[in-house]
């Protein structure tokens, strides 16, 4: 609690604070695979055999170090979805995201966790949990090794593939 003897300290700043951070060995490999091969990779735990996408260094349940990279398809099932209708500045582009937009949790085939990304459908009556979706990537020459190299996930209509 702030008192006269112990005032709260505040720091005001109007300058920008640009920063960079490392996404690590496996994060780098994940985005290289997307950029160079337009495919996902995961990583398998040697103990419990769970596969995680994007890859990580340690299995949460087992605390085992992970190093077995595995190719995964660019498809998955929707596990949760929401349609956003509020404007915000996309931190990846610096531009306002068009509204409405649909954001979903997707379990990539062969993975044991979920991956979140934009789904290319805004009509909630056309989206159901359990539907199959497929990643749509940017044109190769526009790819930068970034999450935005995945434009969105499209709903796969039964029998279309």
């Amino acid at each position: 609690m702030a008192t006269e003897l112990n005032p709260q300290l505040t720091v005001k700043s109007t300058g920008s604070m640009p920063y960079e951070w490392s996404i690590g060995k496996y994060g780098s490999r994940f985005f290289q695979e997307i950029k160079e091969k337009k495919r996902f990779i995961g990583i398998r735990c040697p103990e419990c055999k769970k596969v995680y996408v994007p890859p990580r260094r340690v299995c949460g349940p087992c605390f085992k170090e992970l190093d077995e990279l595995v190719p995964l398809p660019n498809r998955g099932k929707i596990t949760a979805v929401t349609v956003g209708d509020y404007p915000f500045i996309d931190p990846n582009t610096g531009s306002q995201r068009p509204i409405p937009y649909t954001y979903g949790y997707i379990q990539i085939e062969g993975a044991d966790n979920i991956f979140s990304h934009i789904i290319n459908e805004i009509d909630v009556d056309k989206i159901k949990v359990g539907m199959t979706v497929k990643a749509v990537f940017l044109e190769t020459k526009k790819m930068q090794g970034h999450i935005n190299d995945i434009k969105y996930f499209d709903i796969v209509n039964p029998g279309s593939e």
Side-chain angles (χ1 to χ4, degrees):
M1 181 171 165
T3 66
E4 286 183 32
L5 297 174
N6 185 18
Q8 292 285 331
L9 297 177
T10 61
V11 177
K12 292 184 180 185
S13 175
T14 56
S16 69
M17 293 177 46
Y19 59 94
E20 294 181 15
W21 67 92
S22 170
I23 57 174
K25 176 171 111 176
Y26 296 129
S28 295
R29 179 73 188 275
F30 177 71
F31 288 118
Q32 285 172 343
E33 289 288 320
I34 289 172
K35 181 180 178 183
E36 296 169 9
K37 299 179 182 174
K38 293 187 177 185
R39 74 171 186 182
F40 294 132
I41 58 167
I43 198 162
R44 181 178 287 122
C45 176
E47 183 78 18
C48 70
K49 305 299 183 202
K50 287 186 179 189
V51 175
Y52 299 99
V53 61
R56 57 185 67 175
R57 290 203 52 187
V58 176
C59 179
C62 300
F63 299 107
K64 297 289 182 186
E65 188 168 354
L66 308 177
D67 64 4
E68 182 190 352
L69 294 170
V70 294
L72 296 171
N74 298 331
R75 304 165 50 103
K77 300 268 185 208
I78 297 172
T79 62
V81 66
T82 188
V83 175
D85 61 0
Y86 60 92
F88 74 97
I89 302 298
D90 186 327
N92 294 311
T93 64
S95 300
Q96 181 176 314
R97 173 168 290 288
I99 53 175
Y101 60 92
T102 303
Y103 198 74
Y105 287 141
I106 300 157
Q107 186 167 13
I108 302 296
E109 288 178 12
D112 292 290
N113 64 325
I114 55 173
F115 183 82
S116 55
H117 210 285
I118 300 296
I119 297 175
N120 189 30
E121 177 57 66
I122 56 173
D123 184 346
V124 289
D125 293 330
K126 294 181 180 177
I127 305 171
K128 303 284 183 252
V129 168
M131 291 181 110
T132 300
V133 290
K134 183 175 183 174
V136 175
F137 299 98
L138 292 176
E139 297 173 35
T140 303
K141 63 183 177 183
K142 293 184 178 182
M143 294 182 111
Q144 300 177 18
H146 188 275
I147 194 66
N148 286 343
D149 289 349
I150 308 165
K151 287 172 62 173
Y152 45 74
F153 282 78
D154 259 342
I155 294 172
V156 175
N157 294 316
S160 69
E161 286 194 321

